[in-house]
Amino acid sequence: MIRVSVVGATGYTGIELVRILQQHPNVKITSLTTRSKDPKDIEEIIPTLPKNHGLTLETFKLNKVVKESDVVFLALPHTQAMDLAYDLYKKGKTVIDLSADFRIKDAQLYEIWYGKKHTKKLLLGDAVYGLPEVFRSKLKKAKLIANPGCYPTSILLGLKPALENKLVDFESIVVDSKSGVSGAGKKLSEATHFCTVDGDFKAYKVNQHQHMPEVEALLKKFSGKKVSIAFVPHLLPIERGILSTIYLKKAKGVTPQKILKAYKEAYKDEPFVRVKPLGTFPSIKDVVRTNFCDIGIWSSARSKEVIVISAIDNLVKGASGQAVQNMNIRFGYDETLGLV
Amino acid sequence: MIRVSVVGATGYTGIELVRILQQHPNVKITSLTTRSKDPKDIEEIIPTLPKNHGLTLETFKLNKVVKESDVVFLALPHTQAMDLAYDLYKKGKTVIDLSADFRIKDAQLYEIWYGKKHTKKLLLGDAVYGLPEVFRSKLKKAKLIANPGCYPTSILLGLKPALENKLVDFESIVVDSKSGVSGAGKKLSEATHFCTVDGDFKAYKVNQHQHMPEVEALLKKFSGKKVSIAFVPHLLPIERGILSTIYLKKAKGVTPQKILKAYKEAYKDEPFVRVKPLGTFPSIKDVVRTNFCDIGIWSSARSKEVIVISAIDNLVKGASGQAVQNMNIRFGYDETLGLV
Amino acid sequence: MIRVSVVGATGYTGIELVRILQQHPNVKITSLTTRSKDPKDIEEIIPTLPKNHGLTLETFKLNKVVKESDVVFLALPHTQAMDLAYDLYKKGKTVIDLSADFRIKDAQLYEIWYGKKHTKKLLLGDAVYGLPEVFRSKLKKAKLIANPGCYPTSILLGLKPALENKLVDFESIVVDSKSGVSGAGKKLSEATHFCTVDGDFKAYKVNQHQHMPEVEALLKKFSGKKVSIAFVPHLLPIERGILSTIYLKKAKGVTPQKILKAYKEAYKDEPFVRVKPLGTFPSIKDVVRTNFCDIGIWSSARSKEVIVISAIDNLVKGASGQAVQNMNIRFGYDETLGLV
Amino acid sequence: MIRVSVVGATGYTGIELVRILQQHPNVKITSLTTRSKDPKDIEEIIPTLPKNHGLTLETFKLNKVVKESDVVFLALPHTQAMDLAYDLYKKGKTVIDLSADFRIKDAQLYEIWYGKKHTKKLLLGDAVYGLPEVFRSKLKKAKLIANPGCYPTSILLGLKPALENKLVDFESIVVDSKSGVSGAGKKLSEATHFCTVDGDFKAYKVNQHQHMPEVEALLKKFSGKKVSIAFVPHLLPIERGILSTIYLKKAKGVTPQKILKAYKEAYKDEPFVRVKPLGTFPSIKDVVRTNFCDIGIWSSARSKEVIVISAIDNLVKGASGQAVQNMNIRFGYDETLGLV
C-alpha cells in the first residue's frame, strides 16, 4: 500500500486521477489539494464517488503533502508545476507530473512553446518521459516522471513501429488529430461554451500546437534523425477521446504484411496497446474510459500510402490512466492494477 | 416562374430541396414524389413547413411529372437515377440529378466504384458536372446536371486555385475529411443509431470512398495531369456539415502571399465561396444551413507545408443548395436567388 | 420600408433578430449596436450572413439610434433596458423590448423577482405584452412592446384555451418545462461549459424561476382569478428549443372532444400556432428555427388528467421571431412577413 | 465465487451486465449467450473489455447454461423471458430476470400492457420484485428475481418515504420523467436514428407507458390504497440516465423539515440512495455509470407543492447494476461488491 497525493484535484485530469486511484487496491489516498483557500466538498467536484468515500479536499500545504505521501501526482496547468516538482523531488518524493514542464529536454524549446522561463533546468535530465511503451525500464527507477501529452501519446504509439523499423519515408508525415473538449481543460471560454461547440467542428492551432516539439523529439529517437510533421488538431463536439489519423509513405520494398507484423510485434506484450487486423480501424468509443490505445492500419500492395489511425481517451491513456500505469511500473506492481 | 418537381422528396437531400424551393421566389413546386405506394402527409416528413403550404406528397408517376415540370430534381439513391434521368431528358425536361450516376464520365470507373452497370452511357457526355465555380458557362445551357458529391465539393473548391496555379506538388495531397451523419442518408443502421454515434468519432471507407474517382477526375482537369490523393472520411457526431483538412507541399519559389492571392483571385466574384485571411480557419457552424464554402489557408515562409481547410454544409452547398444554385444558373436567375 | 435598429446585437437573441430582419423584405437595418467600445466585425459574431451584407456593428450612441430608426429592438439583459426604453419612447420611437423590464405590471413584484428597483414605473401602464395571440389589437398601436419570456410563451399558449373556457380546475396546474442552453444566454459559466452540459440533464430554479409571476399574471387574465402553478424548468443538452409538459385536471362534464375543439377554435386563424390531433404531440425539432408554437393534447373519457404539450424555439417564437411578429403587427404588415 | 451466465449478452443491459460482472471479485462468468446462430466476437460487442478477457459469446443452449451456472441473468426483450425463466427455475438455478415478465403479479394486467399471454402464471407468486430498498429481506432467499424497470426504479425510490409516511395527498401525483436513448434498446428505428434524436426532445407514450401498472402496484403497497399517477416519459438526446420530476401536494400539517427527515431516515443505511439537502437537486451526470439513485426535494412552508427529483443511470441502478446488487444480496455478499 502506498500513500498518494494529488495536487490539483479539481481539474479534469485531477478528477480522473482521483476516480482511478480511489479504486486502486494498493493505494491509500492521503491528500487531495487545490489552490483554492476555501475548498468545496470533494463530492461537489466528483459526484460519482461512493458514499463514505472518506476523502476531503484541502488547500495545498507543502509540508503536509511531503509528510503524508510516497508519490505525488501534479495535475496543474503547464508552467505551474516545475517549482513544486523540484521541492517534492528534493524531499525524496516520487513525482508524477501531468503538466508539460519536464517533457521537453531542451529548455530553450520549452520556453519558446510555453512562453515561460524554465526555472528548474537541472531537473530536466533526471525526468523520465512517461511513455511505458518506450521507457519502461527507466520508469522503474524514475524519481520524476514527465507524463506525456494526450496528442503525443496517440501519435507516438501510432508511429513508433513504422519509424523504428524504417518502414516509411521520414520526410512525409501528416498527422490529423481530433480531440474531445475535456482536452482544453476546465477554464471557461467562449470556445468551450456548449452553444459554441454543440454541432460544430473546427481546427485550431493549425501546425503550431505546443505538442509538436514533444512529438518530434521522440520521433528523432525512433528514427535516428530529425523528423518533422505536419500537424493539425481539431475540436470534436464530445467530452472525451482523441483519434489521430496519420498519413505516411511506404519505404521501398515494404509490404502491408510487413507493416502489420512490425506493429503486432512491437505491442504484443503491451497490456494497453491493441493492434487491429489490417483494414479495420478503431473508434473513440472503443477506448473511452479505458487505458487502451487502439491502432488500425491501411496499406495496400498497389499504393504508396500507409494510413495509421490511433485512438485513446485523452483523460485516461492520454493523462491520468497513463500516470497510474507509470506509478504501477515505478512501484513494481502489475502494470494494469486499478486500470481498465 | 418555373415549375419544379422533386423526385425522392423524403430523404435528407429531398427534404432540404423542398425547404429551399418552397421559399424561392421564382419557383412553383408542382410535384413532390416518393416511391412509397401510400405516401405520408408531407408535413410529417417536413414539420417545419409553413401552415397552408399547399404541398402534397405523391407516388411517383412519370407522365404526371413530365407534364407538370420544367425542371426535375432527382434526389434518389445512387444507381437508381440513371434510367429515370434518361426518360425525363428525352422528354425535354431539365434534369438536376443529385445522385452519383452522371458524375463520372468513365462508365467503367463508375461501375467499379458503384457496383452496377451503367445503362445510360450515351448520356454521360451530355451531363454537365454541377460545380458552378468550374463549369458555370456550360451549366447555363445544360440539360442534364450531375450535381457534385458533398466531399468532392469541399475538396475541389479547396484545391482548385492551388492546382490550377501550380502552387503545390501534385504528388503529395492528403485529404482528411469529417462529415455529419446526414451524409450517410436516412437508411437505418447500427452505425447511425444515436447510441452508437453520440460521443463517438471514427474513420470509415479509409482510402476507398467512392467519391475518390470523382475528385481525381477534376484534379486532372485542374492540373493537366493524373493526380492521386490519400483520402480518409470520418463520421462526426453532428447532423450536418463537412470540414476537409487538406495537406499540400509548396512548389518551389511560392510564397504564402502568392497562395492567398491565388485563392482570393479565384473566388473574388463567387457569391458562395469565402476565403479567410491567412492563418484563420472556418468552422462548420460558420456555414451550416448556408450555401457557403469557407476556406482558410496555413502557409509560412519557413515551411514546405501548405494546409487548406474548407467547410460546407453537406446538405446545402454539398447537395441541395448547390442544386438550386445550378437551377438558378440554368434558368438565368440571379445565382443567389432563394439561397442564404 | 421601415428603419430598424437592434441594440445589443451580439447576444443570442440579438443575433437571431439580425438574421431574421436581414431577410425581411420591408426592413432596412440602420444600426446594430453593442456596449463594447471596440466592436468586432459583425460577421465574426454572425458568420452565416451573406457576402456583402453591408452591416456594421457600432458602439451604442443614443442620438444616432434615434435619428436612424423607426423601431428599436432592445436585446439587453434584464434590468438594463428600462432606462433606455424610456429615452427612446420619449423620442417617439417604437420600442420592442426583449428583456423582462416591462412585462410585469406590478413594479413591486418585478423588484422582488429581478432584484432591482424599477426606475420607469410610469411606463409600465403603456407597455403592451407582446403575445399576439392575446393582445393583437393593442399591439397594433403599441409604442412600447414588452416581448414575452420564452417559458411564458410556451406555457401561456398551452394554457389559454383551457383556462378561458374553464375546461380544467384552476387549482392544480403543473408545468414541467425543458429548455435548450441558448436560453441561458451567452455569459460564460461552469453550468454552460460543454463538458458540463453534454450528456447531462437537470432541473434548476425549482419552483422559483423569475418567469412565474409573468405567467401567473396572464393566467389571471385568462381565468378571471388568481391562479398558481408548480413550475420546474430544466436544462436540455441542446442549443435551442423549449418543450413544456403541462398537467391539468378536467373540469366536470368536459370531454376530450370539447377540449380539442376549444384549442382548434382558439388558434384556427393564428398563423404560428398549430394544434395537433388528439393523442399526438410535438417535438422540439418540429419547430426549431421557426416561429411556430405546436400543441398536442392528451385526454381520455376515463381519466381526469389532461396533458398539454407545447413546443417552441426559445430564440424564435420565444424571443426574436415573436418580436418581429409584433413589429409586423405594429406596422400593419402581413404578420408572417420575414418569418418561417 | 459463483458461476454466472448472461442470456442475451448483446443488448444494452446485457453489455452493461458483462462490464460489471467482469470486474466483480466473487463472480466467474461461465457463459454469455445470444440468440444468433453465428455469434460475433464478444469484443466486437464490448470493445472496452480488457485484453485477454477470456470471454466468448455463444449461441444459447439450455443444458450448457444449466450445467455451468449458479445464477442466470436474463437480459431478453419483454415477453421472451418467461418460458426460459421457468426452465431455469425448475432446474434450481437462481434467475434474475431483467425483462418485465415477472414484475406485475396480476397476469391479466400484464397481458393488457404487454400484449401477450402470460404462460407461466404460477411462477408469478414466487417472483420477488428486485427493489432492494423495499424487498431486501425477501431477496435474500429469492429464486426468481424480477428486476425492476428503469422508470419505476427512479419513481418508486422518489415516492416511497412520502407515501409510507403519508406526507402527501395520494390523489395528486404527477411524474414527468426523461430518459436517455439507451432505454429504448438497440433495435433500429427512425426514432433512434442519430439525425432524429440529436438536437431534439419529445414526449412519448403519454400517460400510457407500460411501466405505469408496475409503479402503481408498488404505490399501493406504500400507501395502503389504490393510487394513480399522471406519467409522461420523454426522450433525452443523451445515451444514458433518467431524471424524474415528481409533483406532490403536502398533506395537512406537514413541514418541509419533516419531509426531509423522512427521506433521510428511509435511506440512511442504503448504500445506493443519496438524499440531498433541501432545495438542492441531482443531475444525471451525478449518477451516470454508478448504481446511485440521487434524490432532491423542494418544499416550502408557504406552499402546498412538494417537488421530488430523482436521478439514476437507466442501465445501472435502472437495470444491470441493480441486478448485480440483487445478486449480491441473494448470495450474501456485501451489497456494494463490484458496484461503483
Side-chain angles (χ1 to χ4, degrees):
Chain A
M1 195 71 94
I2 47 172
R3 299 170 307 149
V4 175
S5 292
V6 177
V7 175
T10 63
Y12 291 133
T13 54
I15 289 171
E16 194 70 18
L17 265 172
V18 176
R19 286 173 48 177
I20 296 170
L21 292 169
Q22 184 267 330
Q23 299 189 280
H24 193 292
N26 290 17
V27 157
K28 178 170 166 49
I29 298 177
T30 49
S31 62
L32 303 176
T33 77
T34 167
R35 288 167 297 176
S36 163
K37 294 292 172 213
D38 182 24
K40 296 187 182 177
D41 285 346
I42 186 74
E43 62 263 36
E44 273 189 64
I45 311 287
I46 319 181
T48 53
L49 285 176
K51 262 185 158 179
N52 312 318
H53 49 72
L55 302 174
T56 48
L57 188 60
E58 318 167 285
T59 308
F60 174 75
K61 288 198 190 92
L62 181 61
N63 286 344
K64 187 165 184 296
V65 168
V66 166
K67 209 171 98 187
E68 296 180 353
S69 318
D70 301 310
V71 55
V72 181
F73 290 92
L74 302 183
L76 298 169
H78 305 314
T79 77
Q80 300 185 22
M82 53 181 107
D83 292 335
L84 183 52
Y86 177 80
D87 293 344
L88 293 162
Y89 177 91
K90 270 198 4 190
K91 297 282 187 184
K93 303 296 146 184
T94 298
V95 178
I96 301 179
D97 176 20
L98 283 83
S99 87
D101 288 1
F102 296 95
R103 292 180 197 153
I104 301 175
K105 296 292 181 195
D106 177 341
Q108 215 178 334
L109 207 54
Y110 173 88
E111 291 169 4
I112 289 168
W113 286 90
Y114 288 90
K116 210 193 148 190
K117 205 161 174 52
H118 204 298
T119 56
K120 296 295 175 289
K121 292 179 197 174
L122 285 178
L123 223 56
L124 284 168
D126 280 8
V128 179
Y129 190 71
L131 196 60
E133 293 78 5
V134 180
F135 295 106
R136 183 171 284 110
S137 62
K138 285 193 180 177
L139 287 164
K140 288 179 182 168
K141 296 166 293 195
K143 299 186 65 183
L144 170 56
I145 295 173
N147 212 58
C150 49
Y151 286 123
T153 296
S154 77
I155 298 166
L156 294 171
L157 294 176
L159 279 173
K160 181 177 178 275
L163 268 63
E164 286 190 344
N165 296 284
K166 305 197 187 315
L167 305 173
V168 298
D169 291 350
F170 297 163
E171 266 80 64
S172 179
I173 301 178
V174 167
V175 180
D176 190 284
S177 293
K178 302 89 177 174
S179 172
V181 181
S182 62
K186 239 186 180 176
K187 205 165 149 288
L188 300 181
S189 74
E190 201 176 323
T192 55
H193 190 291
F194 181 82
C195 294
T196 309
V197 176
D198 183 53
D200 199 15
F201 180 72
K202 68 174 169 199
Y204 68 102
K205 297 189 184 174
V206 172
N207 224 21
Q208 51 192 5
H209 192 281
Q210 69 277 8
H211 283 168
M212 291 177 77
E214 181 182 338
V215 169
E216 291 177 350
L218 270 283
L219 297 188
K220 188 171 174 189
K221 181 181 159 56
F222 296 160
S223 65
K225 339 184 159 181
K226 185 164 168 13
V227 172
S228 296
I229 61 169
F231 175 52
V232 181
H234 301 75
L235 190 70
L236 282 169
I238 64 176
E239 192 181 338
R240 288 159 167 258
I242 286 179
L243 191 125
S244 290
T245 309
I246 304 172
Y247 299 83
L248 304 163
K249 299 279 185 194
K250 231 165 33 189
K252 280 241 171 71
V254 171
T255 62
Q257 287 67 31
K258 188 170 176 186
I259 296 172
L260 182 67
K261 201 179 153 203
Y263 275 77
K264 286 277 189 193
E265 192 63 29
Y267 296 129
K268 71 172 190 296
D269 297 325
E270 286 299 335
F272 292 118
V273 184
R274 300 187 295 194
V275 178
K276 300 178 75 77
L278 216 58
T280 61
F281 302 93
S283 78
I284 278 179
K285 271 199 166 170
D286 294 348
V287 298
V288 94
R289 290 167 210 281
T290 77
N291 201 45
F292 287 123
C293 176
D294 278 10
I295 294 175
I297 300 163
W298 185 92
S299 175
S300 154
R302 288 170 309 168
S303 168
K304 278 210 70 171
E305 312 295 340
V306 177
I307 298 166
V308 177
I309 299 181
S310 71
I312 61 169
D313 184 323
N314 59 304
L315 293 180
V316 188
K317 183 64 176 168
S320 306
Q322 184 145 270
V324 172
Q325 184 182 359
N326 285 324
M327 180 197 77
N328 285 339
I329 292 170
R330 171 64 185 74
F331 288 87
Y333 299 148
D334 176 342
E335 201 163 324
T336 66
L337 213 60
L339 292 166
V340 188
Chain B
M1 196 70 97
I2 47 173
R3 299 170 307 150
V4 175
S5 292
V6 177
V7 175
T10 64
Y12 291 134
T13 56
I15 289 171
E16 193 70 16
L17 265 172
V18 176
R19 286 172 48 176
I20 296 170
L21 292 168
Q22 184 265 332
Q23 299 189 280
H24 192 292
N26 290 17
V27 157
K28 179 172 166 47
I29 297 177
T30 48
S31 61
L32 303 177
T33 77
T34 167
R35 287 166 298 176
S36 162
K37 293 292 173 213
D38 182 24
K40 296 187 181 177
D41 286 345
I42 186 74
E43 62 264 34
E44 273 189 64
I45 311 287
I46 318 181
T48 53
L49 285 176
K51 262 185 157 178
N52 311 317
H53 49 74
L55 301 174
T56 48
L57 187 60
E58 318 167 285
T59 308
F60 175 74
K61 289 200 188 90
L62 181 62
N63 286 344
K64 186 164 184 296
V65 168
V66 166
K67 210 170 99 187
E68 294 179 354
S69 318
D70 301 309
V71 56
V72 182
F73 289 92
L74 303 182
L76 298 169
H78 305 315
T79 76
Q80 300 185 22
M82 55 181 107
D83 292 335
L84 183 51
Y86 177 81
D87 294 344
L88 293 162
Y89 178 92
K90 271 199 4 191
K91 298 282 187 182
K93 303 296 145 184
T94 298
V95 178
I96 301 179
D97 177 20
L98 282 83
S99 87
D101 289 1
F102 296 94
R103 293 181 197 153
I104 300 174
K105 296 292 178 194
D106 177 342
Q108 217 176 333
L109 206 54
Y110 174 88
E111 292 170 3
I112 289 168
W113 286 90
Y114 289 90
K116 209 192 149 189
K117 206 162 172 52
H118 203 299
T119 56
K120 296 295 176 292
K121 293 179 196 173
L122 285 178
L123 224 56
L124 284 169
D126 280 10
V128 179
Y129 190 70
L131 195 60
E133 293 79 4
V134 181
F135 295 106
R136 184 172 284 110
S137 63
K138 283 192 180 175
L139 287 165
K140 289 180 181 166
K141 295 166 294 193
K143 299 186 66 184
L144 170 56
I145 295 172
N147 212 58
C150 49
Y151 285 123
T153 297
S154 76
I155 298 166
L156 294 171
L157 294 176
L159 279 172
K160 180 175 180 277
L163 268 63
E164 287 190 343
N165 296 285
K166 306 197 187 317
L167 305 173
V168 298
D169 291 350
F170 298 162
E171 266 80 64
S172 178
I173 300 178
V174 167
V175 180
D176 190 283
S177 292
K178 302 88 178 174
S179 172
V181 180
S182 62
K186 238 185 180 176
K187 206 165 149 289
L188 299 181
S189 74
E190 201 176 323
T192 56
H193 190 290
F194 180 81
C195 294
T196 308
V197 175
D198 184 52
D200 199 15
F201 180 72
K202 68 174 169 199
Y204 68 102
K205 296 189 182 175
V206 172
N207 224 20
Q208 52 192 5
H209 192 282
Q210 69 277 9
H211 283 168
M212 291 177 76
E214 182 182 338
V215 169
E216 291 177 350
L218 269 283
L219 296 189
K220 187 172 176 188
K221 180 180 160 57
F222 295 159
S223 65
K225 336 184 160 181
K226 186 165 169 7
V227 173
S228 296
I229 60 170
F231 175 52
V232 181
H234 301 75
L235 191 69
L236 281 169
I238 65 175
E239 192 181 338
R240 289 159 165 258
I242 286 179
L243 191 125
S244 291
T245 309
I246 303 173
Y247 298 83
L248 303 164
K249 300 278 186 195
K250 229 161 40 183
K252 281 241 172 72
V254 171
T255 63
Q257 287 67 32
K258 188 170 176 186
I259 296 171
L260 182 67
K261 201 179 154 201
Y263 275 78
K264 286 277 187 193
E265 192 64 28
Y267 296 129
K268 72 171 192 293
D269 297 326
E270 286 300 335
F272 293 117
V273 184
R274 300 187 296 194
V275 179
K276 300 179 75 77
L278 216 57
T280 62
F281 302 94
S283 78
I284 277 179
K285 270 199 167 169
D286 293 348
V287 299
V288 94
R289 289 167 211 281
T290 77
N291 200 46
F292 287 124
C293 176
D294 278 9
I295 294 175
I297 300 162
W298 186 92
S299 176
S300 154
R302 289 170 309 169
S303 167
K304 277 210 71 171
E305 312 294 339
V306 177
I307 298 166
V308 177
I309 299 181
S310 72
I312 61 169
D313 184 323
N314 59 304
L315 293 180
V316 188
K317 184 64 177 169
S320 306
Q322 184 145 271
V324 172
Q325 185 182 0
N326 285 325
M327 180 195 78
N328 286 339
I329 292 170
R330 170 66 184 74
F331 287 88
Y333 299 148
D334 176 343
E335 202 163 324
T336 66
L337 214 60
L339 292 166
V340 190
Chain C
M1 195 69 95
I2 47 172
R3 299 169 308 149
V4 176
S5 292
V6 177
V7 175
T10 63
Y12 291 133
T13 55
I15 290 171
E16 193 70 17
L17 266 172
V18 176
R19 286 173 48 176
I20 296 170
L21 292 168
Q22 184 264 333
Q23 299 188 279
H24 193 293
N26 291 17
V27 157
K28 178 172 165 49
I29 297 177
T30 48
S31 62
L32 303 177
T33 77
T34 167
R35 287 167 296 177
S36 162
K37 293 293 172 212
D38 182 24
K40 296 186 182 177
D41 285 346
I42 187 72
E43 63 263 36
E44 272 189 65
I45 312 287
I46 319 179
T48 54
L49 285 176
K51 260 184 160 179
N52 310 317
H53 48 74
L55 301 174
T56 49
L57 187 61
E58 318 166 285
T59 307
F60 174 75
K61 289 202 189 86
L62 183 62
N63 286 344
K64 186 165 186 294
V65 168
V66 166
K67 210 170 100 187
E68 296 179 354
S69 318
D70 301 309
V71 55
V72 182
F73 291 92
L74 302 182
L76 298 169
H78 305 315
T79 77
Q80 300 185 22
M82 53 181 108
D83 292 335
L84 182 52
Y86 177 81
D87 293 344
L88 293 162
Y89 177 92
K90 270 199 3 190
K91 298 282 188 184
K93 304 295 146 185
T94 298
V95 178
I96 302 179
D97 177 19
L98 283 82
S99 88
D101 288 1
F102 296 94
R103 292 180 197 155
I104 301 174
K105 297 291 179 194
D106 178 341
Q108 217 178 332
L109 207 55
Y110 174 88
E111 291 170 2
I112 289 168
W113 286 90
Y114 289 90
K116 211 195 149 188
K117 208 164 170 51
H118 203 299
T119 55
K120 297 292 176 292
K121 293 179 195 172
L122 285 177
L123 223 57
L124 284 168
D126 280 10
V128 179
Y129 190 71
L131 196 60
E133 293 78 4
V134 180
F135 294 106
R136 182 171 285 110
S137 64
K138 284 192 180 176
L139 287 165
K140 288 179 181 166
K141 294 167 296 198
K143 298 186 64 184
L144 171 55
I145 295 172
N147 212 58
C150 49
Y151 286 122
T153 296
S154 77
I155 298 166
L156 295 171
L157 293 176
L159 280 173
K160 181 176 180 275
L163 267 64
E164 286 189 345
N165 296 285
K166 305 197 188 315
L167 304 174
V168 297
D169 291 350
F170 297 162
E171 267 80 66
S172 179
I173 301 177
V174 166
V175 180
D176 190 283
S177 293
K178 301 88 177 173
S179 173
V181 180
S182 62
K186 237 185 183 176
K187 205 166 148 290
L188 300 182
S189 75
E190 200 176 324
T192 55
H193 190 290
F194 181 81
C195 294
T196 309
V197 176
D198 183 52
D200 199 15
F201 181 71
K202 68 174 168 199
Y204 67 102
K205 297 189 182 174
V206 172
N207 225 21
Q208 51 192 5
H209 192 280
Q210 69 276 8
H211 284 167
M212 292 177 77
E214 181 181 339
V215 169
E216 290 177 351
L218 269 283
L219 297 189
K220 188 174 175 188
K221 181 180 160 57
F222 296 160
S223 65
K225 335 185 161 182
K226 186 166 169 11
V227 172
S228 295
I229 61 170
F231 175 52
V232 181
H234 302 74
L235 190 68
L236 282 169
I238 64 176
E239 191 181 339
R240 288 160 165 256
I242 286 179
L243 191 125
S244 290
T245 309
I246 304 172
Y247 298 83
L248 304 164
K249 299 279 185 193
K250 230 163 36 185
K252 281 241 171 72
V254 170
T255 62
Q257 288 67 33
K258 189 170 173 186
I259 296 171
L260 182 67
K261 202 180 152 201
Y263 275 77
K264 286 277 189 193
E265 193 63 30
Y267 295 128
K268 72 172 191 293
D269 297 327
E270 287 300 335
F272 293 118
V273 184
R274 301 187 295 194
V275 178
K276 300 178 75 79
L278 217 57
T280 60
F281 301 93
S283 78
I284 277 179
K285 270 200 168 169
D286 293 348
V287 299
V288 94
R289 289 167 209 280
T290 78
N291 200 46
F292 288 122
C293 176
D294 278 10
I295 294 175
I297 300 163
W298 185 92
S299 175
S300 154
R302 291 170 307 169
S303 167
K304 279 211 69 172
E305 313 294 340
V306 177
I307 297 165
V308 177
I309 299 181
S310 72
I312 61 169
D313 184 323
N314 58 304
L315 292 181
V316 188
K317 183 64 175 169
S320 306
Q322 184 146 268
V324 172
Q325 185 182 1
N326 285 325
M327 180 196 77
N328 285 340
I329 293 170
R330 171 64 184 76
F331 287 88
Y333 300 148
D334 176 342
E335 203 164 323
T336 65
L337 213 60
L339 292 166
V340 189
Chain D
M1 196 70 96
I2 48 173
R3 298 170 308 147
V4 175
S5 292
V6 177
V7 175
T10 63
Y12 291 134
T13 56
I15 290 171
E16 193 69 18
L17 265 171
V18 177
R19 286 172 47 176
I20 296 171
L21 292 169
Q22 183 265 331
Q23 299 188 278
H24 194 292
N26 291 16
V27 157
K28 179 172 164 51
I29 298 178
T30 48
S31 62
L32 304 177
T33 77
T34 168
R35 288 168 295 178
S36 163
K37 294 292 172 214
D38 182 23
K40 296 186 183 180
D41 286 345
I42 186 72
E43 63 262 37
E44 273 190 64
I45 311 287
I46 318 180
T48 53
L49 285 176
K51 262 185 159 178
N52 311 318
H53 49 74
L55 302 174
T56 49
L57 187 61
E58 317 167 286
T59 307
F60 174 75
K61 288 199 190 90
L62 182 62
N63 286 344
K64 186 165 185 296
V65 169
V66 166
K67 210 169 98 187
E68 296 179 352
S69 319
D70 301 309
V71 54
V72 181
F73 291 92
L74 303 182
L76 298 169
H78 305 315
T79 76
Q80 300 185 22
M82 53 180 108
D83 292 335
L84 182 52
Y86 176 80
D87 293 344
L88 293 162
Y89 177 91
K90 271 199 3 189
K91 298 282 187 183
K93 304 295 147 186
T94 297
V95 177
I96 302 179
D97 177 20
L98 283 82
S99 88
D101 289 1
F102 296 95
R103 293 180 196 154
I104 300 175
K105 297 290 180 195
D106 178 341
Q108 215 176 336
L109 207 55
Y110 174 87
E111 291 169 1
I112 289 168
W113 286 90
Y114 288 90
K116 209 192 151 190
K117 205 160 174 53
H118 203 298
T119 56
K120 297 293 176 289
K121 294 179 196 172
L122 285 178
L123 222 56
L124 285 168
D126 281 9
V128 179
Y129 189 71
L131 196 59
E133 293 78 5
V134 181
F135 294 106
R136 183 172 285 110
S137 63
K138 285 193 179 175
L139 287 165
K140 288 179 182 166
K141 295 166 293 197
K143 299 186 64 183
L144 171 55
I145 295 173
N147 211 59
C150 48
Y151 285 123
T153 297
S154 77
I155 298 166
L156 295 171
L157 294 176
L159 280 172
K160 181 176 179 276
L163 267 64
E164 286 190 345
N165 296 285
K166 305 198 188 314
L167 304 173
V168 298
D169 291 350
F170 297 161
E171 267 80 65
S172 180
I173 301 178
V174 166
V175 180
D176 191 283
S177 293
K178 302 88 178 172
S179 172
V181 180
S182 61
K186 236 184 182 177
K187 204 164 150 290
L188 300 181
S189 75
E190 201 176 324
T192 54
H193 190 290
F194 181 82
C195 294
T196 309
V197 176
D198 183 53
D200 199 15
F201 180 72
K202 67 174 170 200
Y204 67 102
K205 296 190 183 173
V206 172
N207 225 20
Q208 51 192 6
H209 193 281
Q210 68 277 8
H211 284 167
M212 292 177 77
E214 181 181 339
V215 169
E216 291 178 350
L218 270 283
L219 297 189
K220 188 172 175 188
K221 181 180 160 54
F222 296 160
S223 65
K225 337 184 160 183
K226 185 167 169 8
V227 172
S228 295
I229 61 169
F231 175 52
V232 180
H234 302 74
L235 190 69
L236 283 170
I238 64 176
E239 191 180 338
R240 289 160 164 257
I242 286 179
L243 191 125
S244 291
T245 309
I246 304 173
Y247 299 83
L248 304 164
K249 298 279 184 194
K250 230 166 31 189
K252 281 240 172 72
V254 171
T255 61
Q257 287 67 32
K258 190 170 174 184
I259 296 171
L260 182 66
K261 204 181 151 201
Y263 276 78
K264 286 277 189 192
E265 193 62 29
Y267 296 129
K268 71 172 191 295
D269 297 327
E270 286 300 336
F272 292 118
V273 184
R274 300 186 295 194
V275 178
K276 299 177 75 76
L278 217 57
T280 60
F281 302 93
S283 77
I284 277 179
K285 271 199 167 170
D286 294 348
V287 298
V288 94
R289 290 168 210 280
T290 79
N291 201 45
F292 288 124
C293 176
D294 278 10
I295 294 175
I297 300 162
W298 185 92
S299 175
S300 154
R302 290 169 308 169
S303 168
K304 279 210 69 171
E305 312 295 340
V306 177
I307 297 165
V308 177
I309 299 181
S310 72
I312 60 168
D313 184 322
N314 58 305
L315 292 180
V316 187
K317 184 65 176 166
S320 307
Q322 185 146 268
V324 172
Q325 184 182 0
N326 284 325
M327 180 196 77
N328 285 340
I329 292 171
R330 171 65 184 75
F331 288 88
Y333 301 147
D334 175 341
E335 202 163 324
T336 65
L337 213 60
L339 292 166
V340 188

